[in-house]
Amino acid sequence: MSHVPHDPNMQQPQPQRGWFARNMLWLIPTIVFLPLLMCLGCCGGLFTIGINALRNAEPYTIAMERIRSETQITAALGEPIDSEIIGFNGQYNQSVGTGGTADYTFTIRGPSGTAQVYFYAQQNGQQWEFDSFDVTLQDGTALSLAD
C-alpha cells in the first residue's frame, strides 16, 4: 500500500452546503414579500369590485347622463367625459319596496379639464329624484343639476 504524503498547501474539500444555505438569498425575500403582495392584491381587488358596484348603480348612470348632456359642462371639459377612480366616494342603499338613497362625490375629467361632482338622490317608486346635484368646474363655476 502506498502512502501519499500530506501536502499542507493542498486545500481540504469544503463540506457541501445544504439546500437552505444555497437558496437563502431568494427564499427569505419570497417568504416575506409573497404574503404582502397577496394581501395588496386582495385589497386592490376588493376596492375595484366596490368602485365598479358604485359606478354600475342606477343613480350614478343617470347622473353621468345628465352631466354629459349639459352643454355648459361639455363646453368647459370637452368630450368624452368620464369619472376618475381616485377620489371616488359614495354610498348606495336600495331596499325592495321602500326605495333607496345614493350619496356620491367624485371627479369627472374631460380633455380640457376636471370638475367635482356631488349628488344626493332618493328613489321614489321607480324614479330617482336628485335633491342635491352640484358640479363645480375647475374655474370655480358651480352648476346645479338638481331636480
Side-chain angles (χ1 to χ4, degrees):
M1 189 149 105
S2 74
H3 182 358
V4 178
H6 177 66
D7 183 6
N9 294 331
M10 193 168 132
Q11 292 184 355
Q12 294 292 330
Q14 298 226 350
Q16 178 95 16
R17 294 186 317 169
W19 184 89
F20 185 77
R22 289 189 317 258
N23 295 291
M24 184 172 40
L25 289 177
W26 66 267
L27 183 65
I28 299 296
T30 301
I31 290 172
V32 170
F33 289 114
L34 188 60
L36 179 66
L37 289 175
M38 289 174 61
C39 287
L40 289 174
C42 287
C43 290
L46 290 174
F47 176 77
T48 302
I49 289 169
I51 291 295
N52 284 336
L54 287 172
R55 290 177 85 177
N56 290 329
E58 186 179 10
Y60 172 80
T61 56
I62 293 169
M64 287 303 293
E65 287 172 7
R66 284 191 185 184
I67 289 168
R68 290 180 180 124
S69 66
E70 180 64 36
T71 56
Q72 196 171 358
I73 296 173
T74 56
L77 302 182
E79 292 187 72
I81 296 174
D82 203 5
S83 65
E84 295 183 344
I85 292 177
I86 304 299
F88 195 98
N89 188 11
Q91 290 182 343
Y92 173 64
N93 302 309
Q94 188 165 14
S95 302
V96 177
T98 60
T101 61
D103 189 6
Y104 282 64
T105 303
F106 56 94
T107 302
I108 55 175
R109 176 176 296 279
S112 303
T114 62
Q116 293 295 315
V117 177
Y118 168 77
F119 72 82
Y120 178 80
Q122 294 184 20
Q123 186 181 26
N124 294 323
Q126 298 297 317
Q127 189 75 19
W128 282 94
E129 295 176 7
F130 289 81
D131 299 331
S132 178
F133 193 163
D134 300 315
V135 178
T136 305
L137 301 175
Q138 214 169 6
D139 65 2
T141 304
L143 306 171
S144 179
L145 303 178
D147 292 333

